[in-house]
Amino acid sequence: MPGHGTMTFCKDERLCGKKDIDSLFTRGGSRSMSAFPLRLVYAMSHADGCKPGARMLVSVPKRCFKRAVKRNRVKRQVREAYRKNKDVIYRRLDAQCGIELKMAFIWLDDKLWNTAEVETRVANLLQRIAEKLDKQNETCP
């Protein structure tokens, strides 16, 4: 997967497109977990091509922050925290073949948080997903 060897967040890692996003939220196989102020919705599926990996999006509702400046700040904080901690997931995905992970980080609070706290919460969520990937790897032949 491009970008997972380095600490970058490239376009291939972004979850975009109505079809992909709808499959994450409307399909029955998606799961959710939260570490306040973030909620993570994720789904694991078999990759179509030879590029298994993780793709993510960040959503900050307008009801939380009316001003776009604050919404954009939160999105930057979450993306940066993901960029720094994504290797936890990619190590597990490299061990498995053909698994694609789609994730959506949704902001729940109406207050701005410290960047270090946001990074701690994102790292916690990513670690919990990595543990679930390990469990799935044990059950699959």
Side-chain angles (χ1 to χ4, degrees), residues 6 8 12-13 21 30-31 34 40 50 53 64 80-81 85 87 96 102 126-128 135:
T6 61
T8 61
D12 292 338
E13 295 178 277
I21 295 170
S30 63
R31 303 270 186 235
S34 65
L40 176 66
C50 60
C64 291
E80 180 68 7
N85 296 291
D87 61 330
Q96 298 181 5
K102 295 178 184 175
L126 293 177
Q127 184 62 41
R128 288 165 54 190
K135 285 181 185 177

Side-chain angles (χ1 to χ4, degrees), residues 37-49:
L38 286 168
R39 182 171 147 230
L40 176 66
V41 178
Y42 67 96
M44 290 180 250
S45 63
H46 293 288
D48 294 338

Side-chain angles (χ1 to χ4, degrees), residues 26-120:
T26 59
R27 200 180 66 196
S30 63
R31 303 270 186 235
S32 166
M33 62 178 71
S34 65
F36 193 79
L38 286 168
R39 182 171 147 230
L40 176 66
V41 178
Y42 67 96
M44 290 180 250
S45 63
H46 293 288
D48 294 338
C50 60
K51 288 185 174 181
R55 297 182 345 169
M56 63 89 73
L57 69 88
V58 181
S59 174
V60 182
K62 200 171 189 177
R63 66 177 159 79
C64 291
F65 298 110
K66 298 295 183 198
R67 297 190 179 264
V69 173
K70 291 183 179 181
R71 290 195 304 272
N72 291 340
R73 177 180 180 225
V74 171
K75 289 181 203 177
R76 278 194 309 270
Q77 286 176 321
V78 174
R79 279 194 304 260
E80 180 68 7
Y82 174 79
R83 182 189 69 81
K84 287 181 178 179
N85 296 291
K86 69 180 179 178
D87 61 330
V88 173
I89 288 178
Y90 277 103
R91 278 185 268 146
R92 276 25 176 244
L93 287 174
D94 287 343
Q96 298 181 5
C97 57
I99 298 287
E100 181 184 29
L101 180 65
K102 295 178 184 175
M103 300 175 285
F105 289 92
I106 302 168
W107 190 261
L108 301 174
D109 199 9
D110 59 349
K111 294 178 182 62
L112 292 174
W113 281 54
N114 184 339
T115 302
E117 279 295 316
V118 172
E119 186 172 342
T120 303

